[in-house]
């Protein structure tokens, strides 16, 4: 399953970065662009399954932030929001120059208050 491998990647990144402090993480926020092929609900399900199987992470929370698709119009020299997969600027110029929407990264890590 695609989402489970993403969740495993997230945890290996966290383990690498924070080592034993990973147990003190309360919440992880990931940002996924609409083009990154990530379904927030599926990621959430995969995350819940993962922490269920890994007791030390039982009370960790996940938040998925979804980024809009933004493309750049060379004609207007402006960025525009791509809606309904219509890669056309309001001036009518088509563009596949994506400046946002492909990303998938850990955007925030919140530690438990001790
Ligand atoms: Zn334009």
């Amino acid at each position: 399953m695609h989402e489970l491998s993403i969740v495993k990647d997230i945890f290996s990144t966290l383990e690498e970065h924070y080592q034993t402090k990973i147990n003190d993480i309360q919440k992880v926020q990931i940002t996924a662009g609409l083009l990154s092929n990530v379904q927030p609900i599926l990621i959430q399900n995969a995350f819940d399954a993962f922490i269920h199987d890994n007791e030390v992470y039982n009370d960790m929370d996940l938040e998925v932030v979804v980024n809009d698709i933004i493309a750049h119009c060379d004609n207007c020299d402006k960025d525009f929001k791509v809606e309904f997969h219509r890669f056309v600027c309001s001036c009518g110029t088509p563009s596949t120059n994506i400046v946002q929407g492909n990303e998938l990264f850990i955007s925030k890590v919140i530690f438990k208050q001790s």
Side-chain angles (χ1 to χ4, degrees), residues 73 75-76 89 91 93:
C73 174
N75 189 37
C76 311
C89 176
C91 75
T93 307

Side-chain angles (χ1 to χ4, degrees), residues 2-15:
H2 170 67
E3 280 75 16
L4 191 57
S5 64
I6 293 172
V7 167
K8 282 181 179 162
D9 275 357
I10 291 169
F11 275 95
S12 24
T13 305
L14 291 173
E15 279 163 10

Side-chain angles (χ1 to χ4, degrees), residues 29-103:
Q29 182 194 71
I30 63 167
T31 295
L34 276 175
L35 286 174
S36 68
N37 215 7
V38 166
Q39 303 277 341
I41 184 78
L42 296 182
I43 280 283
Q44 188 69 60
N45 289 346
F47 182 88
D48 289 346
F50 186 91
I51 61 170
H52 183 78
D53 291 344
N54 295 269
E55 229 171 84
V56 290
Y57 304 136
N58 263 353
D59 28 313
M60 207 186 280
D61 286 325
L62 175 76
E63 185 188 359
V64 183
V65 176
V66 177
N67 267 357
D68 290 326
I69 304 167
I70 307 286
H72 186 80
C73 174
D74 286 333
N75 189 37
C76 311
D77 198 25
K78 267 190 203 155
D79 294 340
F80 65 94
K81 185 176 158 187
V82 175
E83 286 176 298
F84 312 112
H85 282 256
R86 227 180 94 85
F87 292 82
V88 181
C89 176
S90 57
C91 75
T93 307
S95 168
T96 50
N97 189 358
I98 308 301
V99 294
Q100 179 188 286
N102 280 314
E103 60 284 338

